[in-house]
């Protein structure tokens, strides 16, 4: 389970799940009051056995280069304590990590968090230009493979939060179907594929989409939207306004009345189980024993020319 950028709460820990701690641009939960990392807080978080990895979030679907705002009405004393904020004040996330100006800075931050926590470190980003991977991989090769992130989470331009501006939702970043195979090929080109794991994220809510991502080269897949739908999300795009009509993203008691955890928990569990089951069915129908054995030859993309091509033809560098 990924914490998201809001810090580690007791609710993340109580289920016993393995946890990826996400470090957003606001560094909530691991920040100094004046900004920047608090290494003691990083060590405290990493001391939890359940926290297995740390993910530095550079950007997310539909919000590349745009910070986030948690309005004051939602910064309760409990949330403030978890995030390291003052109750009743707007929580403003910068549009980027101020410490990261260059690829070298990114690798420095990865190295710092890895050294302090002793755990695997990766980053999450929407890919807007594949030259990003060329320059990053070149910087890694110059330093040595040990400097590479342990994983890269690729978010999709058509994923992201319901609080994002529509201009970004509609226009910014590459969709996952374009960026995922390109990133995997770049890692192969620079001989880093065995060093760096790849996670696919962004609107992967159906078994066929997850199976496709595994075919394209993803080692594992994140889904947030699917679980939100199982909770009852109707995509009202009011996540940041405290007026969510389904009660999911609001502190308004009257609106929260519509969210009955005892019923929704069952739906979420069914969604997770059925997702696993259906992906397995797809894998078995392709002739492999389990989904991680899916390869590019098991998927096809229809180009705008009308000709159906295998992914192996489209992206020949991937084995």
């Amino acid at each position: 389970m990924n914490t998201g950028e809001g810090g580690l709460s007791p609710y993340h820990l109580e289920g016993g799940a393995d946890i990826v701690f996400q470090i957003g641009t606001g560094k909530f939960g691991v920040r100094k009051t004046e900004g920047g990392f608090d290494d003691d807080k990083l060590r405290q978080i990493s001391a939890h056995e359940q926290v297995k990895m740390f993910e530095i979030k550079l950007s997310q679907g539909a919000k590349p280069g745009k910070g986030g705002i948690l309005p004051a009405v939602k910064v309760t004393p409990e949330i403030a304590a978890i995030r390291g904020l003052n109750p009743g004040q707007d929580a403003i996330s910068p549009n980027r990590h101020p410490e990261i100006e260059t690829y070298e800075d990114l690798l420095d931050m990865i190295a710092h968090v890895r050294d302090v926590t002793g755990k695997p470190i990766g980053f999450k980003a929407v890919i807007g230009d594949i030259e990003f991977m060329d320059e990053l991989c070149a910087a890694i090769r110059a330093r040595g493979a040990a400097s590479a992130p342990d994983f890269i989470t690729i978010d999709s331009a058509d994923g992201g939060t319901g609080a994002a501006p529509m201009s970004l939702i509609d226009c910014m970043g590459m969709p996952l179907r374009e960026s995922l195979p390109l990133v995997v090929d770049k890692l192969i080109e620079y001989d880093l594929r065995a060093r760096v794991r790849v996670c696919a994220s962004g609107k992967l809510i159906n078994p066929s989409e997850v199976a496709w991502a595994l075919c394209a080269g993803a080692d594992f897949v994140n889904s947030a939207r699917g679980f939100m739908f199982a909770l009852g999300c109707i995509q009202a795009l009011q996540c940041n306004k405290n007026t969510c009509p389904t009660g999911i993203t609001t502190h308004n008691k009257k609106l929260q009345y519509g969210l009955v955890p005892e019923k929704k928990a069952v739906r979420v569990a069914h969604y997770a189980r059925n997702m696993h089951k259906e992906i397995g069915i797809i894998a078995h129908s392709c002739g492999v024993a389990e989904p991680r054995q899916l390869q590019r030859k098991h998927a096809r993309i229809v180009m705008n020319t009308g000709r159906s091509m295998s992914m192996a033809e489209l992206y020949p560098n991937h084995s």
Side-chain angles (χ1 to χ4, degrees):
M1 178 166 55
N2 193 301
T3 63
E5 64 180 300
L8 181 68
S9 75
Y11 311 106
H12 290 117
L13 296 168
E14 67 181 10
D18 289 344
I19 292 171
V20 180
F21 183 90
Q22 187 182 93
I23 302 171
T25 56
K27 299 178 179 62
F28 298 131
V30 291
R31 66 191 294 271
K32 296 177 181 177
T33 304
E34 65 275 17
F37 282 118
D38 184 322
D39 288 352
D40 288 336
K41 290 182 179 179
L42 275 172
R43 293 186 187 96
Q44 290 171 11
I45 296 295
S46 66
H48 290 282
E49 184 179 353
Q50 289 172 242
V51 176
K52 304 297 184 183
M53 299 188 295
F54 286 77
E55 178 182 81
I56 298 169
K57 190 182 85 168
L58 303 183
S59 60
Q60 69 184 73
K63 284 177 67 179
K66 185 72 173 176
I69 300 175
L70 187 68
V73 68
K74 297 181 78 171
V75 185
T76 63
E78 181 181 31
I79 288 176
I82 292 168
R83 290 194 172 197
L85 300 170
N86 295 318
Q89 293 184 5
D90 290 335
I92 310 297
S93 298
N95 65 349
R96 63 181 181 87
H97 290 276
E99 303 92 336
I100 300 178
E101 294 275 358
T102 67
Y103 299 99
E104 297 293 338
D105 293 339
L106 173 58
L107 295 179
D108 286 344
M109 180 178 285
I110 290 169
H112 176 77
V113 177
R114 185 187 284 136
D115 289 343
V116 172
T117 66
K119 295 192 174 179
I121 311 297
F123 69 85
K124 177 180 183 179
V126 180
I127 305 300
D129 186 340
I130 199 59
E131 288 184 10
F132 167 83
M133 286 301 299
D134 278 310
E135 296 184 24
L136 176 64
C137 289
I140 292 170
R141 291 300 301 272
R143 289 191 178 201
S147 68
D150 297 292
F151 64 94
I152 299 174
T153 301
I154 307 169
D155 207 358
S156 173
D158 46 7
T161 169
M166 290 306 299
S167 55
L168 299 188
I169 292 175
D170 291 340
C171 304
M172 296 304 294
M174 290 186 191
L176 192 69
R177 283 186 173 269
E178 184 177 354
S179 60
L180 175 59
L182 288 173
V183 167
V184 171
D185 277 359
K186 284 299 177 184
L187 291 172
I188 293 170
E189 179 183 338
Y190 286 88
D191 197 25
L192 292 170
R193 185 64 186 93
R195 171 70 182 87
V196 182
R197 295 290 178 256
V198 177
C199 174
S201 182
K203 221 172 183 178
L204 299 174
I205 60 176
N206 296 314
S208 59
E209 294 160 343
V210 174
W212 172 86
L214 295 173
C215 289
D219 293 293
F220 54 112
V221 171
N222 277 353
S223 179
R225 190 179 303 250
F227 291 95
M228 293 293 286
F229 286 169
L231 274 177
C233 171
I234 60 171
Q235 298 189 106
L237 303 180
Q238 299 183 40
C239 310
N240 58 322
K241 299 177 181 177
N242 209 36
T243 55
C244 172
T246 61
I248 297 173
T249 62
T250 177
H251 291 284
N252 185 311
K253 296 296 183 184
K254 183 177 180 180
L255 293 174
Q256 284 180 342
Y257 185 75
L259 181 65
V260 182
E262 292 79 10
K263 293 182 178 180
K264 299 297 186 180
V266 175
R267 296 184 182 185
V268 170
H270 283 321
Y271 173 75
R273 292 192 189 103
N274 286 329
M275 177 69 86
H276 279 261
K277 177 182 176 182
E278 295 295 330
I279 297 169
I281 289 174
I282 292 171
H284 298 159
S285 297
C286 289
V288 296
E290 54 98 15
R292 291 183 186 276
Q293 295 177 4
L294 288 168
Q295 300 176 30
R296 287 192 177 176
K297 66 181 181 180
H298 296 123
R300 302 190 75 81
I301 297 176
V302 178
M303 306 297 286
N304 58 10
T305 60
R307 186 168 86 84
S308 176
M309 300 178 68
S310 71
M311 283 205 296
E313 290 177 90
L314 285 169
Y315 306 100
N317 291 335
H318 181 74
S319 57

